[in-house]
Amino acid sequence: MTPVERGPGVLDTSTVILLPGLTDPGALPSQPMITSITLAELSAGPLVAPTEAERARRQAHLQQAEADFDAIPFDEAAARAFGRVASDLRRAGRKTSARAYDALIAATAVANGLPLYTANPEDFASIEGLEVIPVPHPYRS
């Protein structure tokens, strides 16, 4: 399937971070989007970085994402979808709090009827109504 056939889709935070290393544009949606939750997660990164070099790298990811995307807001529909996502994760024996950002990103994708593109599909397993599209990790074989 070509990117044109895929249509719009949400990139999770891991995929946004890996964008510079991705070599196959066909692995991404034709209209890549991010959520406000991804911006929140990226915003926390520089503040908790262990070194100045890591802080600068994380700040660059944040600024690039802010420049490249208009974030989909976490709104009332996403809040309602989050309840379903959280219950799906609990039924699967997974703690929502352990992957809170992922659950909120998933809820935003579900609420907007968009597939989620991720290099970590296992993080989104068991979420009913969420189409997860794996993105090949550029640094793993």
Side-chain angles (χ1 to χ4, degrees):
M1 184 178 278
T2 68
V4 173
E5 293 170 340
R6 287 196 175 200
V10 173
L11 308 180
D12 77 331
T13 307
S14 69
T15 305
V16 171
I17 291 168
L18 294 171
L19 280 175
L22 295 177
T23 58
D24 179 10
L28 297 173
S30 63
Q31 298 171 343
M33 303 171 168
I34 65 169
T35 71
S36 58
I37 304 305
T38 291
L39 284 182
E41 190 171 8
L42 290 172
S43 294
L47 301 174
V48 298
T51 67
E52 286 299 320
E54 182 64 16
R55 183 173 291 114
R57 188 180 70 74
R58 291 178 183 189
Q59 186 66 33
H61 281 298
L62 169 61
Q63 290 173 325
Q64 192 67 56
E66 289 173 332
D68 290 347
F69 300 99
D70 290 325
I72 301 168
F74 186 84
D75 58 11
E76 292 163 349
R80 285 190 296 279
F82 178 77
R84 292 190 309 275
V85 168
S87 68
D88 287 345
L89 292 172
R90 286 185 190 131
R91 273 197 299 279
R94 300 172 66 201
K95 292 184 180 183
T96 308
S97 60
R99 303 300 300 181
Y101 291 118
D102 289 343
L104 292 164
I105 291 167
T108 305
V110 168
N112 287 277
L114 294 167
L116 181 74
Y117 288 73
T118 178
N120 300 312
E122 63 282 353
D123 291 348
F124 299 94
S126 307
I127 299 175
E128 192 173 313
L130 177 65
E131 180 184 0
V132 177
I133 300 176
V135 173
H137 195 296
Y139 309 116
R140 292 184 196 148
S141 41

